[in-house]
Amino acid sequence: MPSELALVVLAAGKGTRLKSRRAKVLHQAGGLPLLAHVLRALKPLRSAGAWVVVGHQAEEVRGLAESLGARAVLQRPQLGTGHAVATAFKALPRRVTRVLVLPGDAPLIRTEALRALLRTHANAGAAATLLTAELDDPSGYGRIVRGSSTLVDAIVEQAALQPDQLGLREVNASIYCFERAAVAPLLGRLGRKNVHREYYLTDVISLLRRDGHAVAAYKVSSPEEVLGVNTLAELARVDAIFRRRKAEALMASGVTLYQPETQAIDPDVSIGPDTIVEAGVELRGRTRIGRRCHIGAHSILLNARLADGVTVRSHSLVLNSRLGPSVSVGPFAHLRDGADIRKGARIGNYVEVKKSVVGEGTKAQHLTYLGDTTVGRGTNIGAGTITCNYDGVNKNPTRIGDNVFIGSGTELVAPVKVGSGAYVAAGSTVTDNVPAGALALARGRQVTKPGWARTRRQKLAAAKARKEEPRVAVRTGNSPKAKPAAKLERKAKPRRKTKSARPKRRPR
Ligand code: UD1
Ligand code: CA
């Protein structure tokens, strides 16, 4: 009968050393929760399924596990790694004969290493096979005590190391392949005589040896794969390794990255060749970027879709939005909630686009807000145009046709439509639909008074001269006590009611 493999991930612990209220396996590194990385590495393995031992924040961890196709087993209370495995064993179907156990807090492990461990185990015919690594700094990890070159005698936790064991650098990754029949009876025999008063899974190894079973080991060639996360400093270190791995894969596929150590690119991001990504860029979620794109420094893209030849200038945000071929956005643009920018369109600096379609070749180059708006092709949206889409209760749509000219400083009070080919004069507040081909002019007429400014200045100067004659004490120049002429004038003179254009005095 072929052996049937079950996968067990230990994820019930609190992660006390993280000093966080959130369960450790929910903390993120490399763009995903730690547990998600482990389950991803397990996915390609043929097995009877994955079981995640949950306990601390059980519901959240269960939710994540189940969303990734695993089952959850509740361990309550959490009495140590040995107790966690005993709990999982009870939940496994009878047909399972072999169990691969992994910690939920060591997210860098790769499928290849796990396959090699399973092969070593099968070839050795051992009751248990451990995954180990040689670390320059093994502190914090259980150490491997070898009986011979191939067999393991025991795992000794850091706190229990004897003086002659301090030099051991081979560590226990907490990844084990167990023969269920040999290990299950021993789980009930574990004691709690250790500093944490916990049931240690590591003690199973010496119990197996005592019963005459063979325990083999597979040592990984890249030790970073076994790194666990017990502190926030280790979380940052693991995150950096994920970032480096992703950057190396992208560069190998023809993507140019400037200062990749300053970038954060999530594992599911794809980028076409000949694209350049500048420093400090974050590419999050399921962002997909085509070929020959250029992503400017410090831009953030989340679940963005970019066709080929797109330019995103520096400091732009593109969130859950789509950019067609040869589109250009930014610098300092903010596209969000389903902005759909079609081929060749240009979205310039300080422009925000929310839930809007911007048609082919259309331009909105400066200081604009387009919300709940559909704009056709070849339209020009002048600087400072604002769609007033929110009336305090509802969001209302704005529709702008093809080849429209919207003058600068226009407010479009939605719901409103501007037909194709229409012109809207600069500074208009458009409240009514504008038919195709029309001109809409919706602003106050200008009043011009020739010579008014000069007359006013002369009056002010004369008044100031009158005030200054008797009072010599007032200082002038850059002295902080000097007072502006207009202020002096107002202070001295009782206020008259006139029709003059003098600005109102500010309240104090
Ligand atoms: C463990 C190993 C150590 C190994 C290291 C590798 C033991 C006693 N020690 O130490 O030899 O070098 O991992 O990273 O096993 N968990 C539960 N239920 C519990 C306790 C823990 O599910 O009752 C889970 C935790 O959530 C965690 C994993 O088991 O994901 C490991 O527990 P942790 O406390 O981090 O063990 P270490 O001290 O790192
Ligand atoms: Ca750990």
Side-chain angles (χ1 to χ4, degrees):
M1 197 182 69
S3 59
E4 180 108 39
L5 178 73
L7 313 169
V8 170
V9 182
L10 310 184
K14 181 167 186 291
T16 314
R17 290 162 279 181
L18 236 48
K19 313 235 162 57
S20 160
R21 287 167 65 177
R22 195 156 17 126
K24 176 160 64 178
V25 296
L26 298 177
H27 280 260
Q28 292 211 353
L32 292 174
L34 302 183
L35 177 61
H37 285 289
V38 176
L39 290 174
R40 279 181 175 218
L42 290 174
K43 194 115 220 171
L45 299 179
R46 265 236 320 265
S47 75
W51 281 261
V52 176
V53 182
V54 304
H56 188 71
Q57 292 192 338
E59 284 323 299
E60 289 90 334
V61 180
R62 175 193 298 274
L64 175 63
E66 288 178 350
S67 75
L68 296 168
R71 272 157 282 200
V73 183
L74 186 65
Q75 182 202 11
R76 194 162 270 166
Q78 297 91 45
L79 301 177
T81 48
H83 178 247
V85 169
T87 309
F89 267 46
K90 283 179 200 140
L92 298 178
R94 273 235 231 139
R95 64 177 197 280
V96 167
T97 54
R98 193 168 280 175
V99 185
L100 180 64
V101 173
L102 305 94
D105 66 350
L108 289 160
I109 192 68
R110 289 201 249 225
T111 311
E112 255 334 291
L114 298 174
R115 284 195 210 281
L117 171 70
L118 293 171
R119 273 199 304 271
T120 304
H121 180 77
N123 294 341
T129 305
L130 320 179
L131 193 133
T132 71
E134 199 86 44
L135 293 187
D136 290 337
D137 175 13
S139 47
Y141 292 84
R143 310 301 156 77
I144 304 296
V145 180
R146 295 241 184 195
S148 69
S149 63
T150 52
L151 294 184
V152 173
D153 268 354
I155 302 170
V156 184
E157 290 301 292
Q158 165 104 11
L161 286 173
Q162 299 302 306
D164 63 321
Q165 295 172 326
L166 288 171
L168 294 174
R169 291 197 305 119
E170 187 180 5
V171 305
N172 169 32
S174 220
I175 300 176
Y176 314 79
C177 186
F178 289 137
E179 285 308 300
R180 186 180 192 179
V183 170
L186 301 183
L187 292 171
R189 279 166 50 191
L190 295 173
R192 301 168 82 174
K193 283 196 196 124
N194 53 58
V195 283
H196 292 112
R197 323 255 338 114
E198 285 184 354
Y199 297 102
Y200 281 178
L201 180 59
T202 44
D203 290 344
V204 160
I205 303 309
S206 40
L207 292 179
L208 281 169
R209 296 295 290 135
R210 210 173 298 166
D211 285 4
H213 291 291
V215 176
Y218 166 73
K219 198 194 284 181
V220 282
S221 48
S222 53
E224 68 177 31
E225 283 192 50
V226 312
L227 293 180
V229 172
N230 295 312
T231 64
L232 288 177
E234 287 169 348
L235 185 73
R237 192 168 153 213
V238 163
D239 182 64
I241 294 172
F242 275 119
R243 300 304 179 198
R244 199 193 66 217
R245 274 187 187 176
K246 180 70 182 178
E248 278 168 6
L250 287 169
M251 291 188 285
S253 71
V255 179
T256 301
L257 303 179
Y258 295 170
Q259 294 175 260
E261 68 283 1
T262 65
Q263 303 170 337
I265 305 181
D266 284 354
D268 296 333
V269 170
S270 70
I271 309 180
D274 290 316
T275 284
I276 296 172
V277 182
E278 293 185 1
V281 167
E282 293 184 21
L283 304 175
R284 301 281 185 189
R286 303 197 170 269
T287 291
R288 291 168 65 170
I289 299 176
R291 297 159 175 262
R292 298 180 308 282
C293 294
H294 193 119
I295 314 298
H298 303 288
S299 291
I300 299 175
L301 279 62
L302 169 71
N303 301 326
R305 292 286 171 91
L306 276 59
D308 294 341
V310 171
T311 302
V312 175
R313 290 177 214 283
S314 71
H315 297 274
S316 294
L317 294 179
V318 183
L319 314 176
N320 303 303
S321 295
R322 223 173 235 284
L323 310 181
S326 305
V327 157
S328 160
V329 306
F332 298 96
H334 185 187
L335 279 57
R336 61 187 176 97
D337 297 342
D340 181 356
I341 315 297
R342 305 273 167 89
K343 187 175 172 186
R346 298 173 73 89
I347 301 297
N349 47 191
Y350 305 103
V351 174
E352 178 178 353
V353 183
K354 185 216 78 168
K355 225 184 251 181
S356 294
V357 178
V358 174
E360 263 186 57
T362 285
K363 294 175 185 171
Q365 302 261 54
H366 330 270
L367 303 157
T368 285
Y369 173 58
L370 299 174
D372 306 294
T373 299
T374 309
V375 189
R377 304 159 164 237
T379 284
N380 189 82
I381 309 283
T385 295
I386 290 170
T387 55
C388 310
N389 60 327
Y390 185 51
D391 59 16
V393 183
N394 295 308
K395 301 282 170 68
N396 300 297
T398 299
R399 299 186 71 96
I400 302 172
D402 299 336
N403 303 312
V404 170
F405 181 90
I406 306 282
S408 295
T410 294
E411 287 157 4
L412 296 155
V413 182
V416 73
K417 289 184 193 168
V418 181
S420 288
Y423 272 67
V424 173
S428 290
T429 299
V430 178
T431 53
D432 299 330
N433 291 344
V434 181
L439 165 70
L441 225 162
R443 52 166 141 92
R445 250 181 203 288
Q446 183 167 332
V447 177
T448 308
K449 300 184 176 178
W452 179 93
R454 197 167 51 155
T455 315
R456 174 176 161 78
R457 283 194 202 100
Q458 282 167 351
K459 277 190 196 161
L460 288 177
K464 188 178 171 201
R466 278 201 304 279
K467 294 293 123 10
E468 276 177 354
E469 264 163 27
R471 288 169 57 190
V472 207
V474 178
R475 286 200 259 164
T476 55
N478 287 332
S479 150
K481 283 191 182 149
K483 295 182 180 173
K487 209 166 180 182
L488 279 171
E489 180 212 16
R490 286 202 301 272
K491 213 169 198 175
K493 218 182 341 181
R495 273 168 66 81
R496 290 174 294 155
K497 276 203 173 153
T498 65
K499 277 189 167 181
S500 85
R502 180 137 48 84
K504 271 205 184 133
R505 190 130 65 119
R506 265 194 276 125
R508 302 205 169 200

